Amino acid sequence: MSRRIGRIAALAACGLLGAAALPAAVSTAAVPTSNAPARAAVAADPAYDVLVFSKTAGFRHSSIDEGVTALRELGAANNFTVTATEDAAAFTPSNLAGYEAVVFLSTTGDVLNPTQQTAFEGYMAAGGGYVGVHAAADTEYDWAWYGGLAGALFKSHPQIQPATVTVEDRAHDATAHLGPSWQRTDEWYDYRTNPRTTAHVLASLDESTYSGGTMGADHPIAWCKDYQGGRAFYTGGGHTEDSYTDPAFRRHLLGGIRWAAELTEADCRPETGYTPLFGSSGTTGWKQAGPGSFVNTNATLTSQGGLGLFWYQAKEYTSYSLKLDWRQAGDDNSGIFVGFPASDDPWSAVNNGYEIQIDATDTPDRTTGSVYGYKSADLAARDAALNPPGEWNTYEIRVEGERLQLFLNGRKINDFTNADPARSLQQGHIGLQNHGDGDDVAFRNIRIKELGTTPGPREGAITGIGGKCVDVSNGSSADGTQIQLWTCNQSAAQKWTVGTDSTLRSLGKCMDISGGGSADGTKIQLYGCNDTGAQKWVPQADGTLKNPQSGKCLDAAGVSSADGTKLHLWSCHTGANQKWVLPG
């Protein structure tokens, strides 16, 4: 499938990868204007193909024809071709390979035979996209794989009636056009299980606003998930004929199709346990420092003027996962600050905290996904996960001890460990930057989950044979620098952080086995942290440090304690030159 190449081309067209123009927009003809702020133009999608499957072996919905018509119209306006069929013979490996997404439009009952089921499983494993609409959850009850794909299966429903839909995720392309709540009339399904633990819930039903719901206070009605190599989106709406002429519902379907077909990115990992800091509840606990401000419209904060900082003064945080949604209008500049002390001076955050950057076109250590001025994102991973200006993105900033991990739309793009004794990530406030005139960046759905009392990483010297310290040669942080023994001198080159991820870190980088090797004598060096097995060191009960990938131990060459003795990998033997004392 070529959809990823097309998306990268679209990013380039938007200036994220070097160009300046903003080309024709994705059609917004189906987007209601009363619920959403103006949407910046984004690159037109590359052409792609969608299979709409509506076979029924049980109840047949009278709205299927209207649904097919609506999907054809959406395709004509948004550069995808719709092939509609009720013939299950379309489910062959060769035929399915031609489609970026397959829509199950109110299918019911057993609609695929075992051979066709196997073909569809293979399609998803190869990176296919599934969009389930309404009675797609009333399908294939005896096929366990499909139940996992759909996320939950139909149990019952009351009569058709209006209800309030609570929009939980306003960054996903299927729901970003909606306000915090959505008033709709439809046939509201109850499900046999709650999908929240295995899928990311985009919207849920408020059962207090209609009669006959049986799932209680947590009643998901639309969700997304990565599944068996592919992407799966489901919406419970779409029973009525009127659904398919409703602009908001049509845009909801379009967003689900675009995401399933990998034309847009989103964080579809399951999410539980977060506390809102900003959303429909407003800005209680927040304070502006410095010039400029943020405008709060429709539970969306938009920056203006500056340089200032809108910071959460109500509480400092230590170990946490912070999630928030953000959108640039164009080539704009903003950022999220963490780990800074309380202050009404926005420069205090700059000088004492760390900024997670939002900026489409700056240098690698100052562009989107970087820890500003300290560490660039993995740019290839960043580019693959990033939506262009005009579309929403989601950051997760995970802080544990002095380690900060950054996820963009569910993908890890940065992993940074603070090595500056004048700064600390272990306690501080969070804030949003308003960078200056003309920098238009918006934020939504700011939420946090405290990660409990898990102890942070330990810091200090690592000592070995002869009481000598593990040392980075010449105090150099260059990749490939030899790690050695040296007389202990309390320098930065001998300060190590024992990470909760089994890494040993110094000077902002990791103790690494050269080339990921496993041969006796392989060099032990300093190298940029990359979460590979070559950088994992597990303390053993006998005092050795073992690398699980190679099955071998950290060793001082020649059983020597002389200054400059090189450390290398060697078969474990518990000799004195393999015994290490880590920081307490």
Side-chain angles (χ1 to χ4, degrees):
M1 297 180 185
S2 61
R3 51 190 177 230
R4 174 66 60 203
I5 296 171
R7 219 182 65 77
I8 295 298
L11 289 172
C14 283
L16 284 169
L17 302 179
L22 290 173
V26 171
S27 172
T28 57
V31 182
T33 58
S34 60
N35 242 353
R39 185 169 180 262
V42 297
D45 290 336
Y48 61 106
D49 297 290
V50 173
L51 178 66
V52 176
F53 183 56
S54 55
K55 179 180 178 180
T56 55
F59 181 83
R60 184 171 182 83
H61 284 72
S62 60
S63 61
I64 287 176
D65 289 344
E66 285 80 2
V68 171
T69 297
L71 291 169
R72 290 191 189 280
E73 291 173 354
L74 285 171
N78 294 282
N79 213 23
F80 64 87
T81 300
V82 168
T83 300
T85 186
E86 299 204 348
D87 185 357
F91 284 73
T92 66
S94 59
N95 188 55
L96 290 173
Y99 298 102
E100 275 66 41
V102 177
V103 180
F104 276 50
L105 178 62
S106 283
T107 50
T108 55
D110 295 331
V111 292
L112 299 179
N113 67 31
T115 300
Q116 295 157 354
Q117 291 176 357
T118 298
F120 192 46
E121 290 178 7
Y123 165 78
M124 291 298 295
Y130 163 86
V131 175
V133 180
H134 193 57
D138 188 23
T139 300
E140 295 287 358
Y141 289 95
D142 296 326
W143 182 13
W145 180 92
Y146 182 84
L149 176 75
L153 296 177
F154 168 76
K155 176 185 176 184
S156 61
H157 65 79
Q159 71 275 17
I160 297 171
Q161 58 190 301
T164 298
V165 177
T166 299
V167 182
E168 298 189 24
D169 182 322
R170 298 179 65 213
H172 193 287
D173 197 53
T175 44
H177 63 292
L178 300 169
S181 63
W182 184 18
Q183 307 301 319
R184 290 203 69 242
T185 295
D186 215 318
E187 180 184 75
W188 303 115
Y189 275 7
D190 296 300
Y191 300 94
R192 298 183 180 193
T193 57
N194 189 314
R196 190 175 294 276
T197 58
T198 59
H200 179 72
V201 176
L202 303 174
S204 56
L205 287 172
D206 181 350
E207 288 195 358
S208 70
T209 64
Y210 73 103
S211 300
T214 65
M215 293 184 70
D218 186 13
H219 188 151
I221 197 64
W223 52 82
C224 60
K225 66 192 300 187
D226 294 317
Y227 187 73
Q228 301 288 312
R231 295 183 174 193
F233 168 87
Y234 172 82
T235 178
H239 173 88
T240 65
E241 288 87 345
D242 289 345
S243 293
Y244 299 99
T245 57
D246 174 7
F249 186 73
R250 286 165 65 110
R251 187 62 184 82
H252 179 59
L253 289 178
L254 174 61
I257 291 169
R258 292 188 74 231
W259 177 78
E262 292 189 28
L263 274 302
T264 186
E265 298 298 319
D267 188 347
C268 283
R269 297 174 297 169
E271 181 178 313
T272 59
Y274 284 78
T275 299
L277 298 184
F278 168 77
S280 57
S281 59
T283 57
T284 301
W286 293 81
K287 185 178 183 181
Q288 179 70 30
S293 63
F294 282 84
V295 177
N296 180 9
T297 304
N298 193 29
T300 303
L301 293 170
T302 303
S303 63
Q304 59 179 16
L307 190 150
L309 187 76
F310 195 49
W311 61 290
Y312 191 68
Q313 63 171 344
K315 186 174 181 178
E316 289 186 89
Y317 291 97
T318 54
S319 181
Y320 57 90
S321 167
L322 173 69
K323 288 190 176 184
L324 50 80
D325 306 328
W326 59 269
R327 183 187 66 186
Q328 295 172 283
D331 183 6
D332 301 294
N333 189 314
S334 184
I336 300 97
F337 280 87
V338 297
F340 60 90
S343 175
D344 287 329
D345 179 3
W347 288 98
S348 176
V350 175
N351 296 327
N352 298 287
Y354 285 103
E355 180 185 6
I356 311 307
Q357 180 71 332
I358 297 171
D359 185 332
T361 57
D362 212 332
T363 57
D365 68 334
R366 298 184 176 192
T367 190
T368 298
S370 66
V371 180
Y372 184 89
Y374 286 88
K375 187 173 183 180
S376 170
D378 177 333
L379 295 181
R382 190 279 309 271
D383 290 346
L386 182 63
N387 289 322
E391 295 192 19
W392 288 89
N393 292 278
T394 299
Y395 269 163
E396 180 192 1
I397 302 167
R398 179 177 286 264
V399 173
E400 296 173 279
E402 295 293 354
R403 183 186 185 193
L404 184 155
Q405 298 176 80
L406 178 63
F407 298 81
L408 172 64
N409 294 323
R411 295 190 184 196
K412 185 174 176 179
I413 64 166
N414 209 332
D415 194 337
F416 168 76
T417 298
N418 172 46
D420 183 350
R423 300 173 187 251
S424 178
L425 285 165
Q426 294 197 50
Q427 186 167 354
H429 291 275
I430 63 173
L432 312 176
Q433 183 186 69
N434 53 302
H435 188 267
D437 291 334
D439 285 316
D440 180 0
V441 179
F443 296 90
R444 284 178 173 172
N445 196 17
I446 305 169
R447 64 266 194 206
I448 199 164
K449 178 165 68 173
E450 296 185 79
L451 301 179
T453 58
T454 301
R458 295 167 287 157
E459 293 182 341
I462 301 174
T463 57
I465 186 171
K468 296 289 183 75
C469 281
V470 175
D471 178 279
V472 180
S473 180
N474 296 317
S476 172
S477 62
D479 283 351
T481 300
Q482 176 73 54
I483 295 176
Q484 61 185 7
L485 284 181
W486 201 268
T487 300
C488 297
N489 55 28
Q490 297 184 329
S491 68
Q494 295 181 358
K495 181 181 178 182
W496 292 89
T497 298
V498 183
T500 56
D501 58 349
S502 298
T503 58
L504 299 174
R505 301 175 182 234
S506 183
L507 304 176
K509 295 189 174 181
C510 282
M511 182 184 291
D512 178 276
I513 302 168
S514 179
S518 60
D520 283 352
T522 301
K523 175 184 177 182
I524 301 298
Q525 62 185 5
L526 195 70
Y527 204 85
C529 299
N530 54 30
D531 203 32
T532 64
Q535 297 182 351
K536 305 296 184 182
W537 301 96
V538 179
Q540 305 297 302
D542 57 13
T544 59
L545 279 171
K546 187 174 185 178
N547 172 249
Q549 176 173 279
S550 64
K552 295 189 175 180
C553 284
L554 182 67
D555 182 282
V559 197
S560 173
S561 62
D563 284 352
T565 297
K566 296 177 180 179
L567 302 192
H568 59 196
L569 194 69
W570 203 267
S571 299
C572 299
H573 55 63
T574 71
N577 62 323
Q578 291 190 353
K579 298 291 183 70
W580 308 98
V581 178
L582 299 177

